Amino acid sequence: MKIGIFDSGLGGLSVLNEALKKLPNEEFLYYADRKNVPYGLKSKDEILKFSSHAVKFLIDQGANAIVIACNTATSAAINELRAKFNLPIIGMEPAVKKAADLNREGENLASLRTLVIATPLTARGAKLKELIERVDSEHLVDVLALPRLVEFAENENFTCDEVKEYLHEEFAKFKLQNYCALVLGCTHFNYFKDSLREILPAGVSLIDGNEGTINKLISELSRLNLAHGKGQSVEYFYSDAKIYDNGELARIGRYLARLNKMLEIK
């Protein structure tokens, strides 16, 4: 069985990384639409066009199931993609419910707020608003758009002074001591856990949706009784072309190594 994983760029490698740990016998196809990254500043129609093209490409490569490893593409296009293509399509959802459940375990409501950071399109989208309304009856969830983090991530700028200055400036809008959780609402944001941890109070948990997404994928594959593979492999693609260049493959290896390092930061 082949599982296609699609993102606007290299943020979705964090989802692939989780899948590689939990699905040791499957073949993976990773598609990064680096020609059109970032998605967060584009229109819904543009994202639907790019996402439809990526899904069709992965199907043409033999994918039996697709993971949209991009919160922005999920927010803008998941319903249309599921209506258009006849195979399992799993989307990303900011882990707001997980954060809300964690926060309710505390006792001081003043420090039970959750901050969701996302791309502009995800932050203003109806999908995130509906999710927050479902799980946030106490109105304890705030949202912050951080459009520049995707660009920083794609350029491998994770801990430079410009990144830290940007984060300090944006987080200065909030009293961080009142927060218990920070939800990473973009897969690119997983690369910045060390920089985020430097800014956030010690008690703030960093929460992403990668594990929940892969658990959903596993559940869907089991429900449909799709045959498992006989060995793990990964093929990488940049906007329609398979990657053969050793320099680019080494670049992907650096990203995966950083993601594994970030897993140690909670």
Side-chain angles (χ1 to χ4, degrees), residues 139-157:
H139 304 291
L140 294 172
V141 177
D142 300 306
V143 179
L144 172 64
L146 292 175
R148 295 189 64 194
L149 277 193
V150 174
E151 178 184 350
F152 284 133
E154 289 292 320
N155 290 317
E156 294 188 75
N157 293 328

Side-chain angles (χ1 to χ4, degrees), residues 98-130:
K98 181 177 179 179
D101 291 343
L102 174 68
N103 291 355
R104 289 190 186 101
E105 296 175 2
E107 298 178 356
N108 181 10
L109 287 178
S111 62
L112 291 183
R113 301 197 68 81
T114 292
L115 181 60
V116 180
I117 55 175
T119 66
L121 191 144
T122 300
R124 66 174 182 266
K127 189 172 179 63
L128 179 58
K129 181 180 179 181
E130 291 166 3

